[in-house]
């Protein structure tokens, strides 16, 4: 059985820890790089006083802060790796020093490592509290690989659905939707796929393809209220809730400047409003 390679953005918070547990239920066979991006000094005021008292020069003081900061970063990554192994994954650590811009740094790391999946946990903030420009938003925009975003907290029913619940895939017949389908079949083999189309009087999407011996399950979901993006996102989220889906899968339209505007609509509305995990799949060769 193939092993999925996962870059995990980890910071020892409850959302990031819960994301590892949730992802291990969705993708049980994985090798994870538990990645903690840290910014100096990563030591509290009391420790800085201790280091300064025991240092003879400013250079020694800076070196001591760097040493302690790296040691703490390694410890945080170790905690994440222990959790990942307890969840059934293989795991190794990567504590990476950065000077800020964690979202961009993580996206660049993904570009370099070429995993099958990127995992992030969020606090599940909704509405105006879901601030654009967060680490998860930036990684979703910039990552060349699929990104799984797990909101926190999950209800007990949402958590139970992770193990064997169906996968609800937003379907509009586009290349992005087809890329999302390919990714869902590769990362989540054996899961029941539900193709969800939010009804639109102006267009009729191409019917979803057969994924096995049976005809595909095609859900026609009424649009919600609000803007087009909000209405489509609401429809997808409602469909996932009504069918007790393990997660939603949506395809993006690429990473060009113009495409980011589109990504910032339906996909971001879904991310900011969903109470279930969302897998965002970039369109291949879109940029």
């Amino acid at each position: 059985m193939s092993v999925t390679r996962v870059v995990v953005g980890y910071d020892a918070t409850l959302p990031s820890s819960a994301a590892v547990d949730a992802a291990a239920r969705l993708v049980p066979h994985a090798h994870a790089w538990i990645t903690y991006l840290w910014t100096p000094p990563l030591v509290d005021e009391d420790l800085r006083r201790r280091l300064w008292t025991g240092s003879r020069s400013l250079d020694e003081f800076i070196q001591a802060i760097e040493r302690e900061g790296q040691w703490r970063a390694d410890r945080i990554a170790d905690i994440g790796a222990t959790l990942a192994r307890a969840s059934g994954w293989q795991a190794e650590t990567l504590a990476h020093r950065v000077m800020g811009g964690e979202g961009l740094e993580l996206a660049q790391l993904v570009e370099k490592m070429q995993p099958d999946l990127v995992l992030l946990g969020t606090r599940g903030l909704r509405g105006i509290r879901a601030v654009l420009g967060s680490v998860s938003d930036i990684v979703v925009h910039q990552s060349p690989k699929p990104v799984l975003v797990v909101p926190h907290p999950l209800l007990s029913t949402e958590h139970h659905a992770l193990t064997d619940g169906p996968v609800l895939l937003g379907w509009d017949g586009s290349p992005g939707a087809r890329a999302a389908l390919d990714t869902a079949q590769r990362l989540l083999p054996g899961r029941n796929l539900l193709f969800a189309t939010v009804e639109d009087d102006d267009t009729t999407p191409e019917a979803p393809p057969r994924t096995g011996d049976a005809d595909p399950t095609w859900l026609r979901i009424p649009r919600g209220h609000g803007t087009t993006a909000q209405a489509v996102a609401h429809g997808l989220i409602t469909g996932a809730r009504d069918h007790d889906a393990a997660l939603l899968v949506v395809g993006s339209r690429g990473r060009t400047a113009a495409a980011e505007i589109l990504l910032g609509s339906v996909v971001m509305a879904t991310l900011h409003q969903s109470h279930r995990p969302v897998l965002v799949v970039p369109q291949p060769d879109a940029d």
Side-chain angles (χ1 to χ4, degrees):
M1 183 177 292
S2 62
V3 175
T4 302
R5 300 165 300 157
V6 185
V7 166
V8 180
Y10 186 78
D11 61 4
T13 61
L14 188 54
S16 67
S17 298
V20 172
D21 172 71
R25 295 172 187 274
L26 291 166
V27 184
H29 303 285
H31 181 101
W33 288 280
I34 305 299
T35 305
Y36 179 63
L37 304 180
W38 67 281
T39 304
L42 195 64
V43 292
D44 59 30
E45 183 63 31
D46 289 339
L47 183 55
R48 284 199 293 272
R49 289 198 194 95
R50 290 179 59 195
L51 294 174
W52 176 251
T53 300
S55 300
R56 297 180 180 178
S57 69
L58 182 59
D59 287 342
E60 290 180 0
F61 175 59
I62 293 174
Q63 290 173 6
I65 286 180
E66 292 284 342
R67 181 189 67 245
E68 295 301 317
Q70 184 65 58
W71 183 79
R72 277 159 178 72
D74 289 338
R75 291 288 297 155
I76 290 172
D78 284 341
I79 292 170
T82 299
L83 174 61
R85 295 183 188 113
S87 299
W89 280 2
Q90 303 169 28
E92 57 186 289
T93 62
L94 179 57
H96 189 57
R97 181 183 183 276
V98 299
M99 297 307 295
E102 288 88 350
L104 288 175
E105 291 279 357
L106 184 56
Q108 291 173 0
L109 188 63
V110 169
E111 185 100 39
K112 176 181 178 181
M113 300 182 70
Q114 293 293 303
D116 301 303
L117 181 67
V118 183
L119 173 64
L120 298 170
T122 72
R123 290 179 294 165
L125 300 181
R126 308 287 185 261
I128 60 174
R129 294 190 298 157
V131 180
L132 288 171
S134 68
V135 171
S136 59
D137 287 339
I138 293 172
V139 174
V140 166
H141 274 86
Q142 298 294 330
S143 173
K145 297 295 181 179
V147 181
L148 176 62
V149 181
V150 179
H152 178 79
L154 298 177
L155 298 180
S156 59
T157 53
E158 294 160 350
H159 189 270
H160 293 329
L162 295 170
T163 303
D164 55 11
V167 173
L168 188 139
L169 188 145
W171 179 258
D172 61 4
S174 67
R178 291 185 177 278
L181 171 59
D182 291 343
T183 298
Q185 291 176 315
R186 176 169 50 84
L187 295 180
L188 304 157
R191 292 275 182 156
N192 183 27
L193 276 173
L194 307 177
F195 295 85
T197 297
V198 178
E199 291 182 345
D200 189 333
D201 294 335
D202 298 329
T203 60
T204 301
E206 176 185 344
R210 293 172 64 95
T211 58
D213 296 333
D215 290 332
T217 302
W218 191 6
L219 309 176
R220 307 296 188 95
I221 302 172
R223 281 182 53 169
H225 300 291
T227 65
T228 299
Q230 292 170 339
V232 172
H234 182 269
L236 294 175
I237 293 166
T238 300
R241 181 200 65 201
D242 291 347
H243 291 82
D244 200 21
L247 78 164
L248 293 82
V249 182
V250 290
S252 75
R253 298 179 182 272
R255 292 176 290 139
T256 63
E260 286 183 7
I261 298 174
L262 297 174
L263 178 60
S265 55
V266 174
V267 173
M268 299 311 290
T270 303
L271 281 171
H272 286 174
Q273 298 299 325
S274 177
H275 295 279
R276 296 173 189 263
V278 177
L279 176 63
V280 180
V281 180
Q283 183 176 323
D285 303 321
D287 58 346

